[in-house]
Amino acid sequence: MPAARPTQASSPGVRKSMQSNKSRDTKPELALRRAAHALGLRYKVSARPLPTIRRTADMLFTRAKVAVFMDGCFWHGCPEHHTRSATNAAYWAEKVRRNRERDRETDQLLAEKGWLVIRIWEHEEPARAAARVAEQVRARRH
């Protein structure tokens, strides 16, 4: 049974923190994009790989059919850095579980349509991650 969604933040500080979370252009995303651009890669930002599926990739290489997702350690349950929430723990555990489930579904849906999905954790070193992306993009270009 899903945890009940809290109707309000547990404190004013939590509310302010949650309101400041950005859905795009986060520091890790910008660092990855800068590193990829420095390697000569050109890409779309925050774009849907498939218009019929409501999923947005952080970086999209349409010719090579490569979709890059930058996953936050908290939001996507990083095995190295994920921490459990001290308040509303059941809600947040369920939220992360659903995010991970949706990530797997997204990977499968895109793979079925010929896309390569690359998932990068926010803690990964940007230059290394960009090199991994560049290698795959260049290998898949026609």
Side-chain angles (χ1 to χ4, degrees):
M1 182 169 143
R5 184 180 177 131
T7 57
Q8 62 187 35
S10 57
S11 71
V14 167
R15 178 177 172 77
K16 184 175 182 178
S17 174
M18 295 303 293
Q19 286 177 327
S20 68
N21 285 332
K22 300 189 322 184
S23 64
R24 63 171 277 182
D25 299 335
T26 63
K27 286 180 184 178
E29 280 180 39
L30 293 173
L32 175 65
R33 292 193 331 229
R34 275 192 299 273
H37 194 272
L39 293 175
L41 297 177
R42 301 302 178 258
Y43 44 83
K44 291 183 179 181
V45 176
S46 295
R48 288 184 181 182
L50 302 171
T52 57
I53 299 173
R54 215 175 127 223
R55 303 292 200 283
T56 303
D58 297 303
M59 295 170 65
L60 196 62
F61 300 87
T62 52
R63 257 184 52 215
K65 291 183 97 170
V66 174
V68 178
F69 294 87
M70 171 71 68
D71 292 340
C73 291
F74 176 79
W75 301 104
H76 296 268
C78 171
E80 290 180 51
H81 302 107
H82 179 70
T83 56
R84 301 182 102 188
S85 177
T87 56
N88 300 320
Y91 169 77
W92 288 110
E94 177 65 12
K95 172 78 171 157
V96 170
R97 186 197 66 74
R98 287 191 324 264
N99 286 348
R100 291 176 61 97
E101 185 178 279
R102 187 179 62 248
D103 292 345
R104 286 190 302 274
E105 178 189 38
T106 299
D107 295 352
Q108 181 182 345
L109 290 168
L110 292 177
E112 289 171 359
K113 298 292 184 181
W115 285 81
L116 172 67
V117 174
I118 300 175
R119 293 205 170 265
I120 298 172
W121 289 110
E122 69 177 331
H123 68 263
E124 288 186 55
E125 204 275 312
R128 247 190 213 140
R132 189 166 46 124
V133 170
E135 181 181 340
Q136 294 297 320
V137 167
R138 290 179 179 136
R140 291 178 60 99
R141 283 196 178 138
H142 298 116

